[in-house]
Every structure is written in C-alpha cells, then in structure tokens.
Amino acid sequence: YDSFMDTVRNKKTSKHVFQLGAVIYNSLLKQYSKYYCDFENGEFDFTSDVVAKFFTELCTYYPDYDSREPYGFMHPRRYDPEVNPELVGKEETAQFSSDLTLMTISAYNYYYYATSCSDFFDEWRAVPMPRLSEDVPATYVEAEFAIINPYSQNKEAALSVLEDIAENYMSVRGGQAKYSFLLEDKAAYSDDYHPDSQVFADFYDIAKEGFVFTYEIGSASIREDFSKGLISAEEALEELQRQVDIYLNE
C-alpha cells in the first residue's frame, strides 16, 4: 500500500491516474477485517494506527485537485472533455489510452466492451488491489454464492436446484457467467475475451488467488461525514468501531 501511494503521488509523468479512493479503502478495510481481526471471537480494533493511516489518506479529498478523490487520484469521470479539454475527441478511450493514462480502475468486462483501444491487450497489465502489508497474502475479490438454510424443511430440493445450476452454469447465469472466472479451462472464455492475452491471465489469477469475505462492514456515511469535515478522524474511527460492534452482536 505504501509503495502504491508513493507511485501515485510522486509519479514522474503527466499521465492521469484514474482511481477511486473509496474502492481501495473498502478493499483495505476487508483485508484488515480478515487478517488483523477475529470476528468469530469478538476481537477487532478499528481505531488502530493501521486503519487510521489508510482511512485518513483515502478519505481526505482535495478540492483543488479533485473534490471527490484523495490527492493523486482522478475520478474516472474526469476524463470528460468538458472537464479536461485535452481529451476532446478521445472521451471514449482516454481512460484506457496508454498515451494519456498511467493507471486506471475498472473491471475486465468493462475494458473489453467499452474500449476500442487497440493497444489494450498488448500493453496493459492488471494488478490486484494494494495489500496492507506482507502479512496479507491476497486481496479481496467479490463472488456470488448461494447458501442452503440448515434449518430448511426442503434442503434436498434446494440442493437439487443448486446442482442443476452448477451443471448448467453458463446457460443458467447467462451474461453474468462471462465475468465469473470460475472455470479452470480458459478456452471456455474465448467467445467473450482474449484468453491468450497477458491481461486476461492477470485478471484470472487475481480472481483465483483472492479471498472472499462474508462480513459486510459498511462505512460510507462515516467516510462522507469525515470528508466534509463534520467529524474528526478519531471520531470517525470510534463510530466505525461502534457500528462493527453492533453489527457483530445483532
């Protein structure tokens, strides 16, 4: 994380960094929750120096730079030519152009369907979200899954439905299956992606090596109040600690 922020804030280029501080913050918060806390035994501290550091860095916005993002980041919508005249005529590809962009944030399917940049599959690489420290072995990834209620009176029927979905996953899930990266055979994605490209391998490995976190820690309102100067960082983290305590003890 430190080297990532140093790269963003001290870049030796005029190229843009399209990043969302909230997305990186949420990823780090889940890393902290999984590897620094023990929710099962009620052990967690969201007022720690570790959280305070990335909270203040990623939730402090700079109006003179970008009123919606931390210093060094540019909101993806800022590639609108009305905001940046240099992007006139390039508004559809600026976010993905190697000439204009150093780093951007999005999902693989958005790149594939939204960009017409011919250099994307040859020049771009995908990297996972920054990790808090070397003690964090992987980054958070999202996954959709189903759970059978152990107290259900129809567990066998529920299991039958899930087995049918698993056996016919691509047809049942339709378009959403394109983005799942659940299939070991990469050739299965050839109709919608470029499975032989390096950037596809990057995304595939990120999904394969990442962790799924089942707890959902919400803090959007806390971040918003802090960014507006309504509460201090200390008050924000105390409120986060209080809300997590309530969440785990509901």
Side-chain angles (χ1 to χ4, degrees), residues 109-151:
N109 60 292
Y110 186 72
Y111 286 128
Y112 182 80
Y113 290 106
T115 180
S116 60
C117 296
S118 60
D119 64 355
F120 176 70
F121 291 99
D122 295 327
E123 300 183 14
W124 285 69
R125 295 295 302 273
V127 295
M129 287 291 175
R131 293 180 295 165
L132 273 175
S133 70
E134 293 181 354
D135 296 328
V136 177
T139 55
Y140 165 76
V141 296
E142 294 185 354
E144 184 180 80
F145 52 88
I147 299 175
I148 296 177
N149 182 352
Y151 304 103

Side-chain angles (χ1 to χ4, degrees), residues 12 58 93 121 164 224 235:
K12 307 299 182 182
L58 294 171
T93 61
F121 291 99
D164 183 63
E224 183 175 356
E235 292 171 327

Side-chain angles (χ1 to χ4, degrees):
Y1 169 71
D2 288 337
S3 61
F4 169 82
M5 293 300 289
D6 181 65
T7 298
V8 170
R9 293 183 169 176
N10 299 296
K11 58 187 177 71
K12 307 299 182 182
T13 176
S14 60
K15 292 181 180 181
H16 303 298
V17 174
F18 294 109
Q19 288 285 349
L20 296 175
V23 173
I24 297 176
Y25 164 80
N26 285 327
S27 178
L28 296 179
L29 189 65
K30 287 183 170 61
Q31 292 177 36
Y32 182 83
S33 300
K34 180 174 178 61
Y35 294 107
Y36 288 74
C37 304
D38 183 356
F39 284 174
E40 297 295 329
N41 293 305
E43 298 176 3
F44 53 91
D45 180 9
F46 288 90
T47 64
S48 70
D49 291 342
V50 175
V51 179
K53 185 177 188 298
F54 70 78
F55 177 86
T56 54
E57 290 184 344
L58 294 171
C59 300
T60 300
Y61 301 158
Y62 295 79
D64 292 339
Y65 188 82
D66 189 325
S67 61
R68 292 172 292 187
E69 295 302 325
Y71 180 74
F73 293 0
M74 182 177 287
H75 195 287
R77 291 175 184 165
R78 288 290 297 274
Y79 66 84
D80 187 328
E82 293 184 2
V83 178
N84 290 305
E86 67 182 276
L87 305 182
V88 171
K90 300 178 180 179
E91 54 268 27
E92 295 184 356
T93 61
Q95 189 183 356
F96 314 100
S97 170
S98 299
D99 294 331
L100 297 170
T101 303
L102 174 67
M103 184 187 306
T104 190
I105 185 169
S106 192
Y108 186 95
N109 60 292
Y110 186 72
Y111 286 128
Y112 182 80
Y113 290 106
T115 180
S116 60
C117 296
S118 60
D119 64 355
F120 176 70
F121 291 99
D122 295 327
E123 300 183 14
W124 285 69
R125 295 295 302 273
V127 295
M129 287 291 175
R131 293 180 295 165
L132 273 175
S133 70
E134 293 181 354
D135 296 328
V136 177
T139 55
Y140 165 76
V141 296
E142 294 185 354
E144 184 180 80
F145 52 88
I147 299 175
I148 296 177
N149 182 352
Y151 304 103
S152 171
Q153 300 299 313
N154 300 295
K155 286 188 286 187
E156 292 301 321
L159 179 61
S160 177
V161 170
L162 294 184
E163 288 176 339
D164 183 63
I165 292 175
E167 292 175 0
N168 304 280
Y169 183 72
M170 297 298 282
S171 59
V172 173
R173 294 297 296 127
Q176 291 298 318
K178 301 174 183 178
Y179 319 140
S180 65
F181 296 138
L182 290 175
L183 303 178
E184 187 170 353
D185 182 10
K186 296 179 181 179
Y189 297 96
S190 58
D191 289 342
D192 301 290
Y193 295 113
H194 293 68
D196 294 329
S197 68
Q198 183 59 59
V199 72
F200 177 89
D202 292 338
F203 274 93
Y204 187 90
D205 289 341
I206 289 171
K208 181 179 179 180
E209 302 299 331
F211 70 85
V212 175
F213 193 63
T214 56
Y215 293 93
E216 187 61 41
I217 307 300
S219 60
S221 61
I222 297 174
R223 289 188 290 104
E224 183 175 356
D225 287 346
F226 171 73
S227 68
K228 292 180 177 179
L230 300 178
I231 56 177
S232 66
E234 181 179 359
E235 292 171 327
L237 297 183
E238 288 176 351
E239 177 60 18
L240 177 58
Q241 176 79 3
R242 187 185 73 85
Q243 290 190 15
V244 172
D245 184 58
I246 293 174
Y247 169 70
L248 294 177
N249 289 285
E250 286 183 337

